[in-house]
Amino acid sequence: YEGPAGSYWVMVAVEAVDRQVLLYRSDDLTQWTFLSSYGPARAVDGVWECPDLFPLAVDGDPSDVRWVLLISLNPGGIAGGSGTQYVIGRFDGVTFTADSEASDADIDWLDFGRDCYAGVTFDGLAREERTLIAWMSNWDYARYLPFAENVLQHGMMTLPRRLSLVRAEGPNRSEGRIRLRQHPIVGALGPETVRDSAGVEARVTLIEQLPDAGRIVVRVDTQEASGFAVRLRCDASGEGGIVLSYDRGARRLSLDRRAGSEDLHEFPSIEVMPVAGGHQVELVIWLDRASVEVFADGGTRVLTDLIAPQSGAALAVEGIGGTVRIERIAVAAATVSATQVD
């Protein structure tokens, strides 16, 4: 910490069962003095662990800096089992104080899937390069998952994610809710395969061969339809696979990963994530052989799930309650699959 209170080390710890974050100060990393505590507050249905505390500028404005407190908890996550909440506030070198614009009933979740847990950020990077990586699993079933080549792994990690703070869009942007935005940091991608300018009502296969791992950008105008569905790793006729659905009326995105996972302990599930809504929706999907990470609303909403390996390799889209317009689907292969990284 470097600020009005001085320059010194701050240790962020937790009393897990008491749901409290404890802050300590040291000038030499040997002798520590208690500063203050935060909590219990917000999500408290499980033990707290893996805290992190760091500053970020709001919309890149160095005159408006807030502090982000990450707290992982298990159980009690938004999708069941393991999960991570974040709290935005101010830190004066002694006390962390949550922003007053959010009450204890307003819980901000780092990720709405079941498999993004215990994420912390790297030290030594510039403030605008704050980067997080998390464990891609859930304590509800981690020990039951099969372990073999090309099958679900116990130790997979999420993509590294560059973090920033942005104000949510609204009638008056200066009064919008501040949210954490996540942007994947990935190496080189192969050339894109693009499909666009197509009206779809019934299920249509648009990409016949998805890569083992890569990025899929989906931009759809729902027009008068109530939503749309994207099937990942389905067969050539558009059947099966992992289903990602958008409900315009409910302003909700859901991920159905039940395909191929019926025999896995507590694994089959459907995850739900609120989104800003509207007619036009853009999703950035990072797909690997046994995982999917979905970024919506410009990265302020994220959903991460492990998936059971699928027999199909295609991508299909269908309108729900009417015809939708495919403005763009772009698929680019990653040069290295996440399951191949040591």
Side-chain angles (χ1 to χ4, degrees):
Y1 171 80
E2 293 181 344
S7 178
Y8 45 85
W9 294 96
V10 174
M11 177 168 60
V12 188
V14 289
E15 290 288 354
V17 177
D18 292 337
R19 286 84 169 178
Q20 285 191 321
V21 174
L22 307 181
L23 303 177
Y24 294 85
R25 166 183 173 158
S26 176
D27 295 314
D28 58 9
L29 293 177
T30 301
Q31 301 298 319
W32 294 90
T33 302
F34 175 74
L35 291 173
S36 63
S37 64
Y38 171 83
R42 313 289 170 92
V44 294
D45 291 336
V47 298
W48 283 9
E49 62 175 345
C50 300
D52 199 356
L53 180 64
F54 49 87
L56 289 174
V58 179
D59 290 324
D61 181 359
S63 67
D64 187 5
V65 174
R66 307 299 171 91
W67 287 72
V68 180
L69 177 62
L70 299 180
I71 307 168
S72 291
L73 73 157
N74 179 75
I78 182 63
S82 309
T84 302
Q85 63 176 318
Y86 69 89
V87 184
I88 298 172
R90 301 177 189 270
F91 178 57
D92 61 5
V94 176
T95 304
F96 173 81
T97 305
D99 280 356
S100 59
E101 66 183 48
S103 69
D104 278 351
D106 296 319
I107 300 174
D108 286 315
W109 296 100
L110 180 73
D111 196 289
F112 287 81
R114 297 202 71 189
D115 298 302
C116 179
Y117 188 60
V120 291
T121 60
F122 292 94
D123 197 12
L125 297 175
R127 177 178 293 179
E128 64 273 13
E129 296 178 351
R130 179 66 60 169
T131 303
L132 173 141
I133 191 168
W135 179 49
M136 192 185 289
S137 195
N138 190 304
W139 282 121
D140 276 356
Y141 45 72
R143 64 187 180 275
Y144 298 106
L145 298 183
F147 184 81
E149 185 178 0
N150 297 330
V151 186
L152 290 164
Q153 306 291 311
H154 295 273
M156 284 175 62
M157 310 299 287
T158 66
L159 291 173
R161 302 173 181 183
R162 184 67 42 80
L163 305 180
S164 58
L165 290 179
V166 295
R167 289 191 182 274
E169 296 288 350
N172 186 343
R173 184 174 175 83
S174 65
E175 297 178 357
R177 177 84 174 273
I178 299 174
R179 297 193 185 279
L180 189 66
R181 178 172 61 191
Q182 303 175 64
H183 176 72
I185 304 300
V186 183
L189 295 172
E192 286 188 326
T193 299
V194 179
R195 300 287 184 271
D196 54 17
S197 301
V200 172
E201 181 174 11
R203 191 177 306 164
V204 175
T205 299
L206 295 178
I207 304 292
E208 295 183 355
Q209 186 68 45
L210 289 171
D212 278 351
R215 183 190 65 197
I216 305 167
V217 178
V218 176
R219 188 165 67 243
V220 177
D221 186 340
T222 60
Q223 302 185 108
E224 300 304 316
S226 57
F228 64 88
V230 179
R231 290 181 176 264
L232 305 170
R233 303 222 191 279
C234 59
D235 62 26
S237 64
E239 295 294 329
I242 304 302
V243 184
L244 186 62
S245 303
Y246 169 63
D247 185 326
R248 180 163 61 91
R251 295 193 298 177
R252 181 176 64 197
L253 196 70
S254 62
L255 180 69
D256 185 343
R257 66 167 184 185
R258 291 175 296 179
S261 66
E262 296 83 356
D263 297 329
L264 297 178
H265 177 86
E266 295 188 25
F267 187 86
S269 62
I270 301 175
E271 275 62 79
V272 176
M273 176 171 67
V275 291
H279 287 275
Q280 291 186 319
V281 176
E282 180 171 284
L283 306 174
V284 180
I285 306 164
W286 289 88
L287 182 66
D288 205 342
R289 287 179 296 217
S291 67
V292 60
E293 299 174 66
V294 183
F295 295 78
D297 291 352
T300 60
R301 299 291 191 186
V302 185
L303 193 160
T304 301
D305 266 3
L306 293 173
I307 58 175
Q310 305 295 301
S311 58
L315 180 151
V317 178
E318 62 184 299
I320 299 175
T323 300
V324 300
R325 181 176 180 81
I326 308 300
E327 294 189 340
R328 181 177 174 84
I329 292 182
V331 178
T335 56
V336 178
S337 168
T339 51
Q340 295 175 323
V341 176
D342 291 334

